[in-house]
Amino acid sequence: MSTRVGALVPAAGRGERLGGGTPKALRPLAGRPMLLRAVETLLSSTLVSQVVVAAPPTLVEVVSQILGPRVRVVPGGAERVDSVRAALEALDDDIGVVLVHDAARPLTPAKLVDAVATTVLDGHPAVIPVLPVTDTVKEVDADGRVVRTPPRDVLRAVQTPQGFRRDILRTAYANRDLPVTDDAGLVEALGVPVTTIPGAEEAFKVTRPADLVLAEALLAQFAPGDGQR
C-alpha cells in the first residue's frame, strides 16, 4: 500500500436545514466559507498531500476560485455517495490512504486528521473518530413508540474525517444499493473491521442555525496567531 494520503470532501449538498438559500458548504463562518475552513484544516495537516472536493456542478468554477490551485474540484452528484465516488476517481493513482471529511465540520483540528491517517498507515483498514454519547438514546417504531433503550456506554457519536485503505473504500463504493449514512457503514457491510479513535469536541457538524452560532462563538475565542484558525 502506498503511504501517500489523499482527502475527499463531498460538498455538493444544499444543506436546507441550515437555511439561508446558499449551499451549506459555502455558508460564511466568521466571514469565510465553511468549506474553505474545512479544506484548510486538511491542507495544514502533516500527512495529507492531496485534497479533492466534489462541488455543486454549477459552482465548480466558483469553488475552484475560493479554494485555490492546491485543491482539485470536480462536479458532485445528486447524493453524497455520488459525490464521494466522483472525488475518489479524481485522486492521483499513487494515493494509498483516503480520508473522507464533511465540509460541515469546519473546526476539526488538524491533529485529528493526522491521527486518523496515522492509524490507517499503522495497519488498520478503516478508522473513524468517535465521542461517547452523553444523551440517552431511544429506538422507536414507526408510530413513535419506544422499542428499546440501548445501553449508552456502548454507543458512540461518529465524526470525520474517516480514513480507509483506498482499495477497500473503492470496493465499498462499488455497491450502489446499501442505505447507509456514513462511509464506514459501507465498509462494515463488506465485513471489514472498523477501528475507532478518540474524536474532538470541536469537530461537531454544523447542520442547524444553532450550530452556526456555536461555531462562531468558538472561533471568537481563538486568539489571533494562535494557529487554530
Side-chain angles (χ1 to χ4, degrees):
M1 180 185 73
S2 167
T3 59
R4 193 162 175 241
V5 179
L8 313 179
V9 185
R14 291 175 294 178
E16 295 175 344
R17 283 178 291 178
L18 194 56
T22 301
K24 179 169 64 174
L26 298 182
R27 285 291 300 273
L29 174 59
R32 302 167 70 207
M34 283 198 293
L35 174 59
L36 177 59
R37 292 184 179 276
V39 166
E40 285 177 339
T41 290
L42 297 170
L43 292 174
S44 66
S45 69
T46 302
L47 295 174
V48 172
S49 61
Q50 184 183 24
V51 177
V52 178
V53 171
T58 59
L59 297 176
V60 168
E61 185 175 342
V62 171
V63 172
S64 295
Q65 292 175 350
I66 291 172
L67 300 181
R70 294 180 62 191
V71 180
R72 183 174 297 172
V73 181
V74 299
E79 303 294 337
R80 183 182 186 278
V81 292
D82 302 315
S83 293
V84 174
R85 285 193 189 101
L88 186 58
E89 292 305 313
L91 282 172
D92 290 346
D93 291 340
D94 63 345
I95 294 290
V97 173
V98 181
L99 308 182
V100 186
H101 187 46
D102 293 334
R105 297 183 190 271
L107 303 188
T108 299
K111 63 182 180 181
L112 181 59
V113 176
D114 282 333
V116 172
T118 297
T119 308
V120 179
L121 290 169
D122 284 344
H124 298 274
V127 178
I128 58 174
V130 301
L131 291 177
V133 173
T134 56
D135 293 326
T136 296
V137 177
K138 302 286 186 181
E139 181 181 343
V140 300
D141 62 17
D143 296 320
R145 296 189 183 91
V146 173
V147 175
R148 70 186 185 99
T149 304
R152 192 170 59 187
D153 59 342
V154 298
L155 299 177
R156 297 293 183 270
V158 181
Q159 301 180 321
T160 72
Q162 299 183 0
F164 310 91
R165 272 182 17 208
R166 183 179 186 168
D167 60 324
I168 288 174
L169 190 61
R170 290 190 70 172
T171 300
Y173 267 92
N175 188 334
R176 296 176 177 267
D177 300 320
L178 291 176
V180 297
T181 57
D182 73 339
D183 307 283
L186 288 172
V187 171
E188 290 167 38
L190 298 177
V192 174
V194 178
T195 299
T196 66
I197 65 170
E201 293 287 349
E202 62 268 41
F204 64 92
K205 192 172 185 178
V206 177
T207 302
R208 296 176 174 84
D211 302 323
L212 198 60
V213 172
L214 175 59
E216 295 264 7
L218 289 173
L219 278 171
Q221 294 181 8
F222 294 142
D226 70 355
Q228 290 282 350
R229 292 283 146 194

